[in-house]
Each structure stands twice: as structure tokens, then as C-alpha cells.
Coordinates of all heavy atoms in Angstrom, one line a residue:
M1 N -4.3 5.4 19.3 CA -4.0 6.6 18.6 C -5.4 7.1 18.1 O -6.2 6.4 17.5 CB -3.1 6.3 17.4 CG -2.9 7.5 16.5 SD -2.0 7.3 15.0 CE -0.6 6.3 15.5
T2 N -5.6 8.4 18.2 CA -6.8 9.0 17.8 C -6.6 9.7 16.5 O -5.7 10.6 16.4 CB -7.4 10.0 18.8 OG1 -7.5 9.3 20.1 CG2 -8.7 10.6 18.4
I3 N -7.4 9.4 15.5 CA -7.3 10.0 14.2 C -8.4 11.0 14.1 O -9.6 10.6 14.3 CB -7.3 9.0 13.0 CG1 -6.2 8.0 13.2 CG2 -7.3 9.7 11.7 CD1 -5.9 7.1 12.2
I4 N -8.0 12.3 13.9 CA -9.1 13.3 13.9 C -9.1 14.1 12.6 O -8.1 14.1 11.8 CB -8.8 14.4 15.0 CG1 -7.5 15.1 14.8 CG2 -8.9 13.7 16.4 CD1 -7.4 16.3 15.7
N5 N -10.2 14.6 12.3 CA -10.4 15.5 11.1 C -9.8 16.9 11.5 O -10.4 17.5 12.5 CB -11.9 15.6 10.7 CG -12.1 16.5 9.5 OD1 -11.5 17.6 9.4 ND2 -13.0 16.1 8.7
P6 N -8.8 17.4 10.9 CA -8.2 18.6 11.3 C -9.1 19.8 11.1 O -9.0 20.8 11.8 CB -6.9 18.8 10.5 CG -7.2 17.9 9.3 CD -8.1 16.8 9.7
A7 N -10.1 19.7 10.2 CA -11.0 20.9 10.0 C -12.1 21.0 11.0 O -12.5 22.0 11.4 CB -11.6 20.8 8.6
T8 N -12.6 19.8 11.5 CA -13.7 19.8 12.4 C -13.3 19.3 13.8 O -14.1 19.4 14.7 CB -14.8 18.9 11.9 OG1 -14.3 17.5 11.8 CG2 -15.3 19.3 10.5
E9 N -12.2 18.7 13.9 CA -11.7 18.1 15.2 C -12.6 16.9 15.6 O -12.5 16.4 16.7 CB -11.5 19.1 16.3 CG -10.5 20.1 16.0 CD -10.2 21.0 17.2 OE1 -10.7 20.9 18.2 OE2 -9.4 22.0 17.0
E10 N -13.4 16.4 14.6 CA -14.2 15.2 14.8 C -13.2 14.0 14.9 O -12.3 13.9 14.1 CB -15.2 15.1 13.7 CG -16.0 13.8 13.7 CD -16.8 13.6 12.4 OE1 -16.8 14.5 11.6 OE2 -17.4 12.5 12.3
I11 N -13.5 13.1 15.8 CA -12.7 11.8 15.8 C -13.2 10.9 14.7 O -14.4 10.6 14.5 CB -12.9 11.1 17.2 CG1 -12.3 11.9 18.3 CG2 -12.3 9.7 17.1 CD1 -12.5 11.4 19.7
I12 N -12.3 10.5 13.8 CA -12.6 9.7 12.7 C -12.5 8.2 13.1 O -13.4 7.4 12.8 CB -11.6 9.9 11.6 CG1 -11.7 11.3 11.0 CG2 -11.8 8.9 10.4 CD1 -10.6 11.7 10.1
Q13 N -11.4 7.9 13.9 CA -11.2 6.5 14.3 C -10.2 6.4 15.4 O -9.3 7.3 15.5 CB -10.8 5.7 13.1 CG -10.7 4.2 13.3 CD -10.4 3.4 12.1 OE1 -10.1 4.0 11.0 NE2 -10.5 2.1 12.2
E14 N -10.3 5.4 16.2 CA -9.3 5.1 17.2 C -8.6 3.8 16.7 O -9.3 2.8 16.3 CB -9.9 4.8 18.6 CG -10.7 6.0 19.2 CD -9.7 6.9 19.9 OE1 -8.6 6.6 20.2 OE2 -10.2 8.1 20.2
V15 N -7.3 3.8 16.6 CA -6.5 2.7 16.2 C -5.4 2.3 17.2 O -4.9 3.2 17.9 CB -5.9 2.9 14.8 CG1 -7.0 3.0 13.7 CG2 -5.0 4.1 14.8
A16 N -5.1 1.1 17.3 CA -4.1 0.6 18.2 C -2.7 1.1 17.7 O -2.4 1.0 16.5 CB -4.1 -0.9 18.3
E17 N -1.9 1.6 18.6 CA -0.5 2.0 18.2 C 0.4 0.8 18.3 O 0.2 0.0 19.2 CB -0.1 3.1 19.1 CG -0.8 4.4 18.9 CD -0.3 5.6 19.7 OE1 1.0 5.8 19.7 OE2 -1.0 6.3 20.4
D18 N 1.4 0.8 17.5 CA 2.4 -0.3 17.6 C 3.3 0.1 18.8 O 3.6 1.3 19.1 CB 3.3 -0.4 16.3 CG 2.6 -1.3 15.3 OD1 2.3 -2.4 15.7 OD2 2.4 -0.9 14.2
T19 N 3.9 -0.9 19.4 CA 4.9 -0.8 20.4 C 6.2 -1.2 19.9 O 6.2 -1.8 18.8 CB 4.5 -1.6 21.7 OG1 4.6 -3.0 21.3 CG2 3.2 -1.3 22.2
E20 N 7.2 -1.0 20.6 CA 8.5 -1.5 20.1 C 8.5 -3.0 19.9 O 9.0 -3.6 19.0 CB 9.6 -1.1 21.1 CG 11.0 -1.5 20.7 CD 12.1 -1.0 21.6 OE1 11.9 -0.1 22.4 OE2 13.2 -1.7 21.6
A21 N 7.8 -3.7 20.9 CA 7.8 -5.2 20.8 C 6.9 -5.6 19.6 O 7.3 -6.6 18.9 CB 7.1 -5.7 22.1
S22 N 5.8 -4.9 19.3 CA 5.0 -5.3 18.1 C 5.7 -5.1 16.8 O 5.6 -5.9 15.9 CB 3.6 -4.7 18.2 OG 3.7 -3.3 17.9
V23 N 6.5 -4.0 16.8 CA 7.2 -3.7 15.5 C 8.3 -4.8 15.4 O 8.6 -5.3 14.3 CB 7.9 -2.3 15.6 CG1 8.8 -2.1 14.4 CG2 6.8 -1.3 15.5
R24 N 9.0 -5.2 16.5 CA 10.0 -6.2 16.4 C 9.4 -7.5 15.9 O 10.0 -8.2 15.1 CB 10.6 -6.4 17.8 CG 12.0 -7.1 17.7 CD 12.7 -7.1 19.1 NE 13.3 -5.8 19.3 CZ 13.1 -5.0 20.3 NH1 12.2 -5.3 21.3 NH2 13.7 -3.8 20.5
E25 N 8.2 -7.9 16.4 CA 7.5 -9.1 16.0 C 7.2 -9.1 14.5 O 7.4 -10.1 13.8 CB 6.2 -9.3 16.8 CG 6.4 -9.7 18.2 CD 5.1 -9.8 19.0 OE1 4.0 -9.9 18.3 OE2 5.1 -9.7 20.2
K26 N 6.7 -7.9 14.1 CA 6.3 -7.8 12.6 C 7.6 -7.9 11.8 O 7.5 -8.5 10.7 CB 5.6 -6.5 12.4 CG 4.2 -6.5 13.0 CD 3.5 -5.1 12.9 CE 2.2 -5.2 13.6 NZ 1.5 -3.9 13.6
Y27 N 8.6 -7.3 12.2 CA 9.9 -7.4 11.5 C 10.4 -8.8 11.4 O 10.8 -9.2 10.3 CB 11.0 -6.5 12.2 CG 12.3 -6.7 11.6 CD1 12.7 -6.2 10.4 CD2 13.3 -7.5 12.3 CE1 14.0 -6.4 9.8 CE2 14.5 -7.8 11.7 CZ 14.9 -7.2 10.5 OH 16.1 -7.5 10.0
Q28 N 10.3 -9.5 12.5 CA 10.7 -10.9 12.4 C 9.9 -11.8 11.5 O 10.4 -12.6 10.8 CB 10.7 -11.5 13.8 CG 11.8 -11.0 14.7 CD 13.2 -11.2 14.2 OE1 13.5 -12.2 13.6 NE2 14.1 -10.2 14.3
A29 N 8.6 -11.5 11.5 CA 7.7 -12.3 10.6 C 8.0 -12.0 9.1 O 8.0 -12.9 8.3 CB 6.2 -11.9 10.9
V30 N 8.3 -10.7 8.8 CA 8.6 -10.4 7.5 C 10.0 -11.0 7.1 O 10.1 -11.5 6.0 CB 8.6 -8.8 7.3 CG1 9.2 -8.4 5.9 CG2 7.2 -8.3 7.4
K31 N 10.9 -10.9 8.0 CA 12.2 -11.4 7.7 C 12.2 -12.9 7.5 O 12.8 -13.5 6.6 CB 13.1 -11.1 8.9 CG 14.6 -11.5 8.8 CD 15.4 -11.1 10.0 CE 16.8 -11.5 9.8 NZ 17.6 -11.1 11.0
Q32 N 11.3 -13.6 8.3 CA 11.2 -15.1 8.1 C 10.5 -15.4 6.8 O 10.7 -16.5 6.1 CB 10.4 -15.7 9.2 CG 11.2 -15.7 10.5 CD 10.4 -16.2 11.7 OE1 9.2 -16.5 11.6 NE2 11.0 -16.3 12.9
G33 N 9.6 -14.6 6.3 CA 8.8 -14.8 5.1 C 9.6 -14.5 3.8 O 9.3 -14.9 2.7
Q34 N 10.6 -13.6 3.9 CA 11.3 -13.1 2.8 C 11.9 -14.2 1.9 O 11.8 -14.2 0.7 CB 12.4 -12.1 3.2 CG 12.9 -11.2 2.1 CD 13.9 -11.9 1.1 OE1 14.7 -12.8 1.6 NE2 13.9 -11.6 -0.1
P35 N 12.6 -15.3 2.5 CA 13.2 -16.3 1.6 C 12.1 -17.0 0.7 O 12.3 -17.3 -0.4 CB 13.8 -17.3 2.6 CG 14.1 -16.5 3.8 CD 13.0 -15.5 3.9
G36 N 10.9 -17.2 1.3 CA 9.8 -17.8 0.5 C 9.4 -16.9 -0.6 O 9.1 -17.3 -1.7
W37 N 9.3 -15.6 -0.3 CA 8.9 -14.6 -1.3 C 10.0 -14.6 -2.4 O 9.6 -14.6 -3.6 CB 8.8 -13.2 -0.7 CG 8.5 -12.1 -1.6 CD1 9.4 -11.2 -2.0 CD2 7.3 -11.8 -2.3 NE1 8.9 -10.3 -2.9 CE2 7.6 -10.7 -3.1 CE3 6.0 -12.4 -2.3 CZ2 6.6 -10.1 -3.9 CZ3 5.1 -11.8 -3.1 CH2 5.4 -10.7 -3.9
A38 N 11.2 -14.6 -2.0 CA 12.3 -14.5 -3.0 C 12.3 -15.8 -3.9 O 12.8 -15.7 -5.0 CB 13.7 -14.3 -2.3
A39 N 11.9 -16.9 -3.3 CA 11.9 -18.2 -4.1 C 10.8 -18.2 -5.1 O 10.9 -19.1 -6.0 CB 11.8 -19.3 -3.1
L40 N 9.8 -17.4 -5.0 CA 8.7 -17.4 -6.0 C 9.2 -16.9 -7.3 O 10.0 -15.9 -7.4 CB 7.5 -16.5 -5.5 CG 6.7 -17.0 -4.3 CD1 5.7 -15.9 -4.0 CD2 6.0 -18.3 -4.7
P41 N 8.7 -17.4 -8.4 CA 9.1 -16.9 -9.7 C 8.6 -15.4 -9.8 O 7.6 -15.1 -9.2 CB 8.3 -17.8 -10.7 CG 8.0 -19.0 -10.0 CD 7.9 -18.6 -8.5
V42 N 9.4 -14.6 -10.5 CA 9.0 -13.2 -10.6 C 7.6 -13.0 -11.2 O 6.9 -12.0 -10.8 CB 10.1 -12.5 -11.5 CG1 10.0 -12.8 -12.9 CG2 10.0 -11.0 -11.3
E43 N 7.2 -13.9 -12.0 CA 5.8 -13.7 -12.6 C 4.8 -13.8 -11.4 O 3.8 -13.0 -11.4 CB 5.5 -14.8 -13.6 CG 6.3 -14.7 -14.9 CD 7.7 -15.4 -14.7 OE1 8.0 -16.0 -13.7 OE2 8.4 -15.4 -15.7
E44 N 5.0 -14.7 -10.5 CA 4.1 -14.8 -9.3 C 4.1 -13.6 -8.5 O 3.1 -13.1 -8.0 CB 4.4 -16.1 -8.5 CG 3.9 -17.3 -9.2 CD 4.1 -18.5 -8.3 OE1 3.7 -18.5 -7.1 OE2 4.6 -19.5 -8.8
R45 N 5.3 -13.0 -8.2 CA 5.5 -11.9 -7.4 C 4.8 -10.7 -8.0 O 4.1 -9.9 -7.4 CB 7.0 -11.6 -7.1 CG 7.5 -12.6 -6.1 CD 9.0 -12.3 -5.7 NE 9.8 -12.9 -6.8 CZ 11.0 -12.5 -7.0 NH1 11.6 -11.5 -6.4 NH2 11.7 -13.1 -8.0
V46 N 5.0 -10.5 -9.3 CA 4.3 -9.4 -10.1 C 2.8 -9.6 -10.0 O 2.1 -8.6 -9.8 CB 4.8 -9.3 -11.5 CG1 3.9 -8.4 -12.4 CG2 6.2 -8.9 -11.6
G47 N 2.3 -10.8 -10.0 CA 0.9 -11.1 -9.9 C 0.3 -10.7 -8.5 O -0.8 -10.2 -8.4
V48 N 1.1 -11.0 -7.5 CA 0.7 -10.6 -6.1 C 0.6 -9.1 -6.0 O -0.4 -8.6 -5.5 CB 1.7 -11.2 -5.1 CG1 1.4 -10.6 -3.7 CG2 1.6 -12.7 -5.0
I49 N 1.6 -8.4 -6.6 CA 1.5 -6.9 -6.5 C 0.4 -6.4 -7.3 O -0.3 -5.5 -6.9 CB 2.9 -6.4 -7.0 CG1 4.0 -6.7 -6.0 CG2 2.8 -4.8 -7.2 CD1 5.4 -6.5 -6.5
A50 N 0.1 -7.0 -8.5 CA -1.1 -6.6 -9.3 C -2.4 -6.8 -8.5 O -3.3 -5.9 -8.5 CB -1.1 -7.3 -10.6
R51 N -2.5 -7.9 -7.8 CA -3.7 -8.1 -7.0 C -3.8 -7.1 -5.9 O -4.9 -6.7 -5.5 CB -3.7 -9.6 -6.5 CG -4.0 -10.6 -7.6 CD -4.3 -12.0 -7.1 NE -3.3 -12.6 -6.3 CZ -2.2 -13.2 -6.7 NH1 -2.0 -13.3 -8.0 NH2 -1.3 -13.7 -5.9
F52 N -2.7 -6.7 -5.3 CA -2.7 -5.7 -4.3 C -3.3 -4.4 -4.8 O -4.2 -3.8 -4.2 CB -1.3 -5.4 -3.7 CG -1.3 -4.2 -2.9 CD1 -1.8 -4.2 -1.6 CD2 -0.8 -3.0 -3.4 CE1 -1.7 -3.0 -0.8 CE2 -0.7 -1.8 -2.6 CZ -1.2 -1.9 -1.3
Y53 N -2.9 -4.0 -6.0 CA -3.4 -2.8 -6.6 C -4.9 -2.9 -7.0 O -5.6 -2.0 -6.9 CB -2.6 -2.4 -7.8 CG -1.2 -1.8 -7.4 CD1 0.0 -2.3 -7.8 CD2 -1.2 -0.7 -6.5 CE1 1.2 -1.8 -7.4 CE2 0.0 -0.2 -6.1 CZ 1.2 -0.7 -6.5 OH 2.4 -0.2 -6.1
E54 N -5.3 -4.1 -7.4 CA -6.7 -4.4 -7.7 C -7.5 -4.2 -6.4 O -8.6 -3.6 -6.4 CB -6.9 -5.8 -8.2 CG -6.4 -5.9 -9.7 CD -6.4 -7.4 -10.1 OE1 -6.9 -8.2 -9.4 OE2 -5.8 -7.6 -11.2
A55 N -7.0 -4.7 -5.3 CA -7.7 -4.6 -4.0 C -7.8 -3.1 -3.6 O -8.8 -2.6 -3.1 CB -7.1 -5.4 -2.9
L56 N -6.7 -2.4 -3.8 CA -6.6 -1.0 -3.4 C -7.6 -0.2 -4.3 O -8.4 0.6 -3.7 CB -5.2 -0.5 -3.7 CG -4.9 1.0 -3.4 CD1 -4.9 1.2 -1.9 CD2 -3.6 1.4 -4.0
D57 N -7.8 -0.6 -5.5 CA -8.7 0.1 -6.4 C -10.1 -0.1 -6.0 O -11.0 0.8 -6.0 CB -8.5 -0.4 -7.9 CG -9.3 0.5 -8.8 OD1 -9.1 1.7 -8.9 OD2 -10.1 -0.1 -9.6
M58 N -10.4 -1.3 -5.5 CA -11.8 -1.7 -5.0 C -12.2 -0.8 -3.8 O -13.4 -0.6 -3.6 CB -11.9 -3.2 -4.7 CG -11.9 -4.0 -6.0 SD -12.1 -5.8 -5.8 CE -12.2 -6.1 -4.1
E59 N -11.2 -0.4 -3.0 CA -11.5 0.4 -1.8 C -11.2 1.8 -2.0 O -11.2 2.6 -1.0 CB -10.7 -0.2 -0.6 CG -11.1 -1.6 -0.3 CD -12.5 -1.8 0.2 OE1 -13.0 -0.9 0.8 OE2 -13.1 -2.8 -0.1
K60 N -10.9 2.3 -3.2 CA -10.4 3.6 -3.5 C -11.3 4.7 -2.9 O -10.9 5.7 -2.3 CB -10.2 3.8 -5.0 CG -9.5 5.1 -5.3 CD -9.1 5.2 -6.8 CE -9.7 4.2 -7.7 NZ -9.3 4.4 -9.1
E61 N -12.6 4.6 -3.1 CA -13.6 5.6 -2.6 C -13.5 5.8 -1.1 O -13.4 6.9 -0.6 CB -15.0 5.3 -3.0 CG -15.3 5.6 -4.5 CD -14.7 4.6 -5.4 OE1 -14.5 3.4 -5.0 OE2 -14.4 4.9 -6.6
T62 N -13.5 4.7 -0.3 CA -13.4 4.7 1.1 C -12.0 5.2 1.6 O -12.0 6.1 2.5 CB -13.6 3.3 1.7 OG1 -14.9 2.9 1.3 CG2 -13.5 3.3 3.2
L63 N -11.0 4.8 0.9 CA -9.6 5.2 1.3 C -9.4 6.7 1.0 O -8.9 7.4 1.8 CB -8.6 4.4 0.6 CG -8.5 2.9 1.0 CD1 -7.6 2.1 0.0 CD2 -7.9 2.8 2.4
A64 N -9.9 7.2 -0.1 CA -9.8 8.6 -0.5 C -10.6 9.5 0.5 O -10.1 10.5 0.9 CB -10.3 8.8 -1.9
A65 N -11.8 9.0 0.9 CA -12.6 9.8 1.8 C -11.9 9.9 3.2 O -11.9 10.9 3.8 CB -14.0 9.2 1.9
T66 N -11.3 8.8 3.6 CA -10.6 8.7 4.9 C -9.4 9.6 4.9 O -9.1 10.4 5.8 CB -10.3 7.3 5.3 OG1 -11.5 6.5 5.4 CG2 -9.5 7.2 6.6
L67 N -8.6 9.5 3.8 CA -7.4 10.3 3.6 C -7.7 11.8 3.6 O -7.0 12.6 4.3 CB -6.7 9.9 2.4 CG -5.3 10.4 2.1 CD1 -4.4 10.1 3.3 CD2 -4.8 9.8 0.8
T68 N -8.8 12.2 3.0 CA -9.2 13.6 2.9 C -9.6 14.0 4.3 O -9.3 15.1 4.8 CB -10.3 13.8 1.9 OG1 -9.8 13.6 0.6 CG2 -10.9 15.1 2.0
A69 N -10.4 13.2 5.0 CA -10.9 13.6 6.3 C -9.8 13.7 7.3 O -9.8 14.6 8.2 CB -11.9 12.5 6.8
E70 N -8.8 12.8 7.3 CA -7.7 12.9 8.3 C -6.6 13.9 8.0 O -5.8 14.2 8.8 CB -7.1 11.5 8.6 CG -6.3 10.9 7.5 CD -5.9 9.5 7.8 OE1 -6.5 8.8 8.7 OE2 -4.9 9.0 7.2
T71 N -6.5 14.4 6.7 CA -5.4 15.3 6.4 C -6.0 16.7 6.0 O -5.2 17.6 6.0 CB -4.6 14.8 5.2 OG1 -5.4 14.7 4.0 CG2 -3.9 13.5 5.6
G72 N -7.2 16.7 5.6 CA -7.8 18.0 5.1 C -7.5 18.3 3.7 O -7.9 19.4 3.2
K73 N -6.9 17.4 3.0 CA -6.5 17.7 1.6 C -7.8 17.5 0.7 O -8.7 16.8 1.1 CB -5.4 16.8 1.1 CG -5.7 15.3 1.0 CD -4.6 14.5 0.4 CE -3.4 14.4 1.3 NZ -2.3 13.6 0.8
P74 N -7.8 18.1 -0.5 CA -8.9 18.0 -1.4 C -9.1 16.5 -1.8 O -8.1 15.7 -1.9 CB -8.6 18.8 -2.6 CG -7.6 19.8 -2.1 CD -6.8 19.1 -1.0
L75 N -10.3 16.1 -2.0 CA -10.6 14.7 -2.4 C -9.9 14.3 -3.6 O -9.3 13.1 -3.7 CB -12.1 14.5 -2.6 CG -12.6 13.1 -2.8 CD1 -12.2 12.2 -1.6 CD2 -14.1 13.1 -3.0
Q76 N -9.8 15.1 -4.6 CA -9.1 14.7 -5.8 C -7.6 14.5 -5.6 O -7.0 13.5 -6.1 CB -9.2 15.8 -6.9 CG -8.6 15.4 -8.3 CD -9.2 14.2 -8.8 OE1 -10.4 14.1 -9.0 NE2 -8.4 13.2 -9.2
Q77 N -7.0 15.2 -4.7 CA -5.6 15.0 -4.3 C -5.5 13.6 -3.6 O -4.5 12.9 -3.9 CB -5.1 16.1 -3.4 CG -3.6 16.0 -3.1 CD -3.1 17.2 -2.3 OE1 -3.9 18.1 -2.0 NE2 -1.9 17.1 -1.9
S78 N -6.4 13.2 -2.8 CA -6.4 11.9 -2.2 C -6.5 10.8 -3.3 O -5.8 9.8 -3.2 CB -7.5 11.7 -1.2 OG -7.3 12.6 -0.1
Y79 N -7.4 11.0 -4.2 CA -7.5 10.0 -5.3 C -6.2 9.9 -6.1 O -5.7 8.8 -6.4 CB -8.6 10.4 -6.3 CG -10.0 10.0 -5.9 CD1 -11.0 10.9 -5.6 CD2 -10.3 8.6 -5.8 CE1 -12.2 10.5 -5.2 CE2 -11.6 8.2 -5.4 CZ -12.5 9.2 -5.1 OH -13.8 8.8 -4.6
N80 N -5.6 11.1 -6.4 CA -4.3 11.1 -7.1 C -3.2 10.3 -6.3 O -2.4 9.6 -6.9 CB -3.8 12.5 -7.3 CG -4.7 13.3 -8.3 OD1 -5.5 12.7 -9.0 ND2 -4.5 14.6 -8.3
E81 N -3.2 10.5 -5.0 CA -2.2 9.8 -4.1 C -2.4 8.3 -4.2 O -1.5 7.5 -4.3 CB -2.4 10.3 -2.7 CG -1.3 9.8 -1.8 CD -1.3 10.5 -0.5 OE1 -1.6 11.7 -0.4 OE2 -1.0 9.8 0.5
L82 N -3.7 7.9 -4.2 CA -4.0 6.4 -4.3 C -3.7 5.9 -5.7 O -3.4 4.7 -5.8 CB -5.4 6.2 -3.9 CG -5.8 6.4 -2.4 CD1 -7.2 6.5 -2.2 CD2 -5.1 5.4 -1.5
N83 N -4.0 6.7 -6.7 CA -3.8 6.2 -8.1 C -2.3 6.2 -8.5 O -1.9 5.4 -9.3 CB -4.5 7.1 -9.1 CG -6.0 6.9 -9.0 OD1 -6.5 5.8 -8.6 ND2 -6.8 7.9 -9.3
G84 N -1.5 7.0 -7.9 CA -0.1 7.1 -8.3 C 0.7 5.8 -8.4 O 1.2 5.5 -9.4
P85 N 0.7 5.0 -7.3 CA 1.5 3.7 -7.4 C 0.9 2.8 -8.4 O 1.7 2.1 -9.1 CB 1.3 3.1 -6.0 CG 0.9 4.2 -5.1 CD 0.2 5.2 -6.0
A86 N -0.4 2.7 -8.6 CA -0.9 1.8 -9.6 C -0.6 2.3 -11.0 O -0.3 1.4 -11.9 CB -2.5 1.7 -9.4
I87 N -0.6 3.6 -11.2 CA -0.3 4.1 -12.6 C 1.2 3.8 -12.9 O 1.5 3.3 -14.0 CB -0.6 5.6 -12.7 CG1 -2.1 5.8 -12.7 CG2 0.1 6.2 -13.9 CD1 -2.5 7.3 -12.5
V88 N 2.1 3.9 -11.9 CA 3.5 3.7 -12.1 C 3.7 2.2 -12.4 O 4.5 1.9 -13.3 CB 4.3 4.1 -10.9 CG1 5.7 3.6 -10.9 CG2 4.3 5.7 -10.8
S89 N 3.0 1.3 -11.7 CA 3.3 -0.1 -11.9 C 2.5 -0.7 -13.0 O 3.0 -1.7 -13.6 CB 3.0 -0.8 -10.6 OG 1.7 -0.9 -10.3
A90 N 1.3 -0.3 -13.3 CA 0.5 -0.9 -14.3 C 1.1 -0.7 -15.7 O 1.3 0.4 -16.2 CB -0.9 -0.3 -14.3
G91 N 1.5 -1.8 -16.3 CA 2.0 -1.8 -17.6 C 3.5 -1.3 -17.6 O 4.0 -1.1 -18.7
S92 N 4.1 -1.1 -16.5 CA 5.4 -0.6 -16.5 C 6.5 -1.7 -16.5 O 7.7 -1.4 -16.7 CB 5.7 0.2 -15.2 OG 4.9 1.4 -15.2
W93 N 6.1 -2.9 -16.4 CA 7.0 -4.0 -16.3 C 6.7 -5.1 -17.4 O 5.5 -5.4 -17.6 CB 7.0 -4.7 -14.9 CG 7.4 -3.7 -13.8 CD1 6.5 -3.0 -13.1 CD2 8.7 -3.5 -13.4 NE1 7.2 -2.2 -12.2 CE2 8.5 -2.5 -12.3 CE3 9.9 -3.9 -13.7 CZ2 9.6 -2.0 -11.6 CZ3 11.0 -3.4 -13.0 CH2 10.9 -2.5 -12.0
T94 N 7.7 -5.6 -18.0 CA 7.5 -6.8 -18.8 C 8.4 -7.9 -18.3 O 9.4 -7.6 -17.7 CB 7.9 -6.5 -20.3 OG1 9.2 -6.0 -20.3 CG2 6.9 -5.4 -20.9
I95 N 8.1 -9.1 -18.7 CA 8.9 -10.3 -18.2 C 9.3 -11.1 -19.4 O 8.7 -12.0 -19.8 CB 8.1 -11.1 -17.2 CG1 7.6 -10.3 -16.1 CG2 9.0 -12.2 -16.7 CD1 6.6 -11.0 -15.1
P96 N 10.4 -10.6 -20.1 CA 10.9 -11.4 -21.2 C 11.6 -12.7 -20.7 O 11.8 -12.8 -19.5 CB 11.9 -10.5 -21.9 CG 12.3 -9.5 -20.8 CD 11.1 -9.4 -19.8
P97 N 11.9 -13.6 -21.5 CA 12.5 -14.9 -21.1 C 13.8 -14.7 -20.3 O 14.1 -15.5 -19.4 CB 12.8 -15.6 -22.4 CG 11.9 -15.0 -23.4 CD 11.6 -13.6 -23.0
D98 N 14.5 -13.6 -20.5 CA 15.8 -13.4 -19.8 C 15.7 -12.5 -18.5 O 16.7 -12.2 -17.9 CB 16.8 -12.8 -20.7 CG 16.4 -11.4 -21.3 OD1 15.2 -11.1 -21.3 OD2 17.3 -10.7 -21.7
G99 N 14.5 -12.2 -18.1 CA 14.3 -11.5 -16.8 C 13.4 -10.3 -16.9 O 12.9 -9.9 -17.9
L100 N 13.1 -9.7 -15.7 CA 12.2 -8.6 -15.5 C 12.8 -7.3 -16.1 O 14.0 -7.0 -15.8 CB 11.9 -8.4 -14.0 CG 10.9 -7.4 -13.6 CD1 9.5 -7.8 -14.2 CD2 10.8 -7.3 -12.1
R101 N 12.0 -6.5 -16.8 CA 12.5 -5.3 -17.3 C 11.4 -4.2 -17.0 O 10.3 -4.4 -17.1 CB 12.7 -5.3 -18.8 CG 13.8 -6.3 -19.2 CD 14.6 -5.7 -20.4 NE 15.7 -6.5 -20.6 CZ 15.8 -7.4 -21.6 NH1 14.8 -7.4 -22.5 NH2 16.8 -8.2 -21.8
R102 N 11.9 -3.0 -16.8 CA 11.0 -1.8 -16.6 C 10.9 -1.2 -18.0 O 11.9 -0.9 -18.6 CB 11.6 -0.9 -15.6 CG 10.7 0.3 -15.4 CD 11.0 1.0 -14.1 NE 10.3 2.2 -13.9 CZ 9.0 2.3 -13.5 NH1 8.3 1.2 -13.2 NH2 8.4 3.4 -13.3
N103 N 9.7 -0.9 -18.4 CA 9.5 -0.2 -19.7 C 9.7 1.3 -19.5 O 9.2 1.9 -18.5 CB 8.0 -0.4 -20.2 CG 7.8 -1.9 -20.5 OD1 8.7 -2.6 -20.9 ND2 6.5 -2.3 -20.3
G104 N 10.3 1.9 -20.4 CA 10.5 3.4 -20.4 C 11.5 3.8 -19.4 O 11.9 4.1 -18.6

């Protein structure tokens, strides 16, 4: 798959496309891993998601620039798109002794 800048038609990157078989393989891998994920205490699962957002934040400049180049949207809009999930999740959950709760 060729990813292009819609404003300049410059090729940004070539990436491999999934096939029906590769999607099926990925689905099976996720399906097999789900029981292990479900068996983890909720605190650990929340920690994994928090680390994902930390990793996303570390790459935010590169991701925003790529998103802007491939869609033509303003850079600030790309930052907003990347910040959205982290803002929603950061501090939105508490884990009292009786289970996970969403604040607000």
C-alpha cells in the first residue's frame, strides 16, 4: 500500500497490506491470548494500557507529523487526535477494593 501526501502527492511510505489469511492469523493470535489477558488482575491491565499511552506520547511528534502528511489535516488537529484517548483514560479510572470504576 502506498501512503501519499494528498497535497503534494509525495510518497510518504510503502507498507505491506494485510491479506485475508494474515488477518485470520492475527485474529487467532488475539483470540488465543485473550484468556491470559482476562486472567490478569485489573490493576495490571490498566498498567499495560497506561504504558501504551506513555509510548504513544513519546512518539507523538513523529506520529502527528505523519498523520498530517498523509491526511492533509492541520498539525494541531493531529496532536488533538493523538491526545484524545490519553486524556480520556488518564485519571478516568479508579480501582477501589470492590472493582474498577470510571470517574465522572
Side-chain angles (χ1 to χ4, degrees):
M1 174 187 317
T2 302
I3 304 192
I4 63 164
N5 180 321
T8 65
E9 297 187 3
E10 173 189 355
I11 295 175
I12 298 170
Q13 187 173 8
E14 297 278 342
V15 295
E17 293 185 47
D18 275 308
T19 63
E20 184 177 334
S22 68
V23 171
R24 200 173 279 120
E25 286 175 24
K26 291 173 184 180
Y27 169 76
Q28 289 303 322
V30 170
K31 187 176 177 181
Q32 289 174 356
Q34 197 283 328
W37 174 256
L40 290 175
V42 70
E43 295 86 357
E44 285 186 48
R45 287 183 275 157
V46 169
V48 169
I49 293 167
R51 288 191 301 279
F52 168 78
Y53 286 122
E54 289 169 9
L56 184 70
D57 191 56
M58 289 181 358
E59 298 296 327
K60 190 174 6 180
E61 284 74 25
T62 301
L63 292 167
T66 301
L67 189 55
T68 291
E70 70 183 21
T71 63
K73 66 175 68 181
L75 186 59
Q76 186 58 53
Q77 189 175 354
S78 295
Y79 278 115
N80 292 346
E81 189 171 326
L82 292 166
N83 288 333
I87 290 169
V88 168
S89 68
S92 296
W93 299 91
T94 56
I95 306 172
D98 60 338
L100 186 66
R101 294 218 176 105
R102 182 161 174 80
N103 297 328

